[in-house]
Amino acid sequence: MRRLLILLSIFSCTFLYSQFNESAPWMQNLDQEQRLANSDLTFQEIVDAFDMYWEARDPKIKGSGYKPFKRWENFWKNFVKQDGTLPTKLELWNTWLEKEQSKLFRNTLIDNSNWLAVGPFSHTNTGSWSSGQGRVNAIIVDPNTPTTFYSGAPAGGIWKSTDSGNTWTVLTDDLPQIGV
């Protein structure tokens, strides 16, 4: 089963990477120039060639390749390396292997936290949400007063405690948007 998943992952990565059409019409002139210079194409060179190709054409024609390229561009713009090129298939594979190895290491960590549940231990489920329950996104201790805490909740605003978290006061009841 594990081999099947790995094989499926490799196929998926290759398929996702191959969404870019290297034989597209806007790549023809670039390919010849780059082959002569014996260098890799940069992301910006590919985008510029695409934009130049489409200056005199209608991108709204179905099947023209305009939308798929724009999707490709939007996805890969986040992965451009310092030299302007895109990662190779080998680099992508090695990154995936590193990620998998870090997962193995993460699973070996021991939880040394000392959190204790303080309640409420019973509540009435009202349907789409449960009253008395919430999620806290951020907690910070005031560096000048170690007994003062601030807490932020995505749908509950900002709260302040001046007694090390025993009691809390809401600070954002009158704001139109209280998400933290």
Side-chain angles (χ1 to χ4, degrees), residues 2 4 7 12 25 53-54 73 85 105-106 109 112 118 120-121 128 143 162 167 172:
R2 185 174 170 97
L4 179 62
L7 189 58
S12 297
Y53 176 83
W54 284 101
E73 177 186 8
T85 61
F105 173 72
R106 197 176 10 193
L109 297 177
N112 290 326
V118 294
F121 296 108
S128 64
T162 56
T167 60
T172 54

Side-chain angles (χ1 to χ4, degrees), residues 22-33:
E22 293 178 8
S23 63
W26 52 86
M27 294 295 294
Q28 298 308 313
N29 291 338
L30 272 180
D31 283 343
Q32 292 168 359
E33 292 172 14

Side-chain angles (χ1 to χ4, degrees), residues 21 23 28 38 46 52 61 67 89 95 102 162 165 168 180:
N21 183 2
S23 63
Q28 298 308 313
N38 198 18
I46 296 169
M52 189 182 312
I61 297 172
K67 275 185 170 181
K89 293 175 187 175
T95 302
S102 71
T162 56
W168 292 86
V180 175

